[in-house]
Amino acid sequence: MDRSPASRPAVPEEDIIEAKAFIDLFMIAPQTLVDQTGFACMQLGTGCAISLPSAPAIGLNRILGIAALDDLDTAYEWMSKRVGRRYLQMSAAITPQQKGDWIREHGLLAEGNGWAKLRRAAPRTPLTHAGEVITRQVNGDEADTFGSMMCAGFGFPTNLIPLWSAIVGKDGWTCFFAELEGRPIATGAMYASGGYAWLGGGATVPEFRNRGAQKALIAARLNEGAVQGVRTFVVETAQPSAGEPNISHANLIAHGFEQIYTRMNYRFPDGS
């Protein structure tokens, strides 16, 4: 099995910017939260292994942006010492036979339909949004409100509020509220670096869903990113299926995003 540097597979730029965002999220996390939750992250090349056991989301308990087998071995060994549900994420399009063999040898099993990865270029002219919802950037003194809304929207425990509050106002990050009659009802975040931007943090207060908040937040981030010099935007959401339509996926397609690949979630065996 050839593992020479010349044969090392390339990681998609769309995964690299996402990994950068989560590495930065770890770097700016309050030390008290890191100590209390066991939050940890290891950077490997353009990717990372990240672990926050108290977070129920795959996004904070996974290996991402790693394709070389040597790096996968290192990440797997590190992640195996962690607890909770852990995953390896890899694009189905860049999983050749040797990667498939590696995944089977380590007992990882595909779970669910995977995540759809989407991309679009920056808008040439500002996008408009019709409707009663308006958007604005989050002010520094509203960081706790932003973090609280994100945790509530994603079902995270309240002790993780400081994690999401910490990104407000930090270099590379731009955070938004969607408001209805002056009340924040939804959140959205953008991390930009090197001409790319990753969109995340889209959460809506349950009683205000289906009011157009996330559509407005997509447009707001595209417009702001274009002002900041972003050339390419990327985002991921659950892969839709015939029996399970995905509103988030539909909203992104309606805003000019194109699905470029599906990334599978391979779960670590219990007890590893």
Side-chain angles (χ1 to χ4, degrees), residues 120-241:
R120 71 150 288 167
R124 295 183 178 181
T125 58
L127 303 177
T128 59
H129 174 75
E132 55 188 345
V133 173
I134 63 171
T135 60
R136 66 172 177 86
Q137 292 189 34
V138 179
N139 297 318
D141 61 358
E142 299 171 310
D144 285 345
T145 300
F146 179 84
S148 297
M149 289 178 63
M150 277 195 62
C151 284
F154 288 121
F156 288 173
T158 56
N159 69 321
L160 297 186
I161 291 174
L163 175 64
W164 300 113
S165 300
I167 68 175
V168 175
K170 295 298 192 300
D171 288 346
W173 292 93
T174 311
C175 300
F176 290 87
F177 282 140
E179 293 186 331
L180 184 63
E181 297 179 352
R183 172 184 174 179
I185 63 168
T187 61
M190 177 179 71
Y191 176 80
S193 175
Y196 281 79
W198 172 80
L199 306 186
T204 304
V205 176
E207 61 264 35
F208 291 101
R209 288 173 181 161
N210 301 315
R211 303 287 288 270
Q214 289 304 321
K215 291 179 181 178
L217 286 166
I218 292 169
R221 286 175 287 179
L222 289 171
N223 289 339
E224 176 59 25
V227 171
Q228 294 182 16
V230 172
R231 299 185 300 274
T232 304
F233 295 82
V234 303
V235 63
E236 64 283 337
T237 187
Q239 173 66 38
S241 63

Side-chain angles (χ1 to χ4, degrees), residues 110-127:
E111 183 172 285
N113 294 329
W115 288 5
K117 191 74 176 187
L118 301 100
R119 176 184 67 198
R120 71 150 288 167
R124 295 183 178 181
T125 58
L127 303 177

Side-chain angles (χ1 to χ4, degrees), residues 101-112:
D101 291 343
W102 187 96
I103 289 168
R104 285 187 292 273
E105 288 169 3
H106 289 77
L108 277 64
L109 297 174
E111 183 172 285

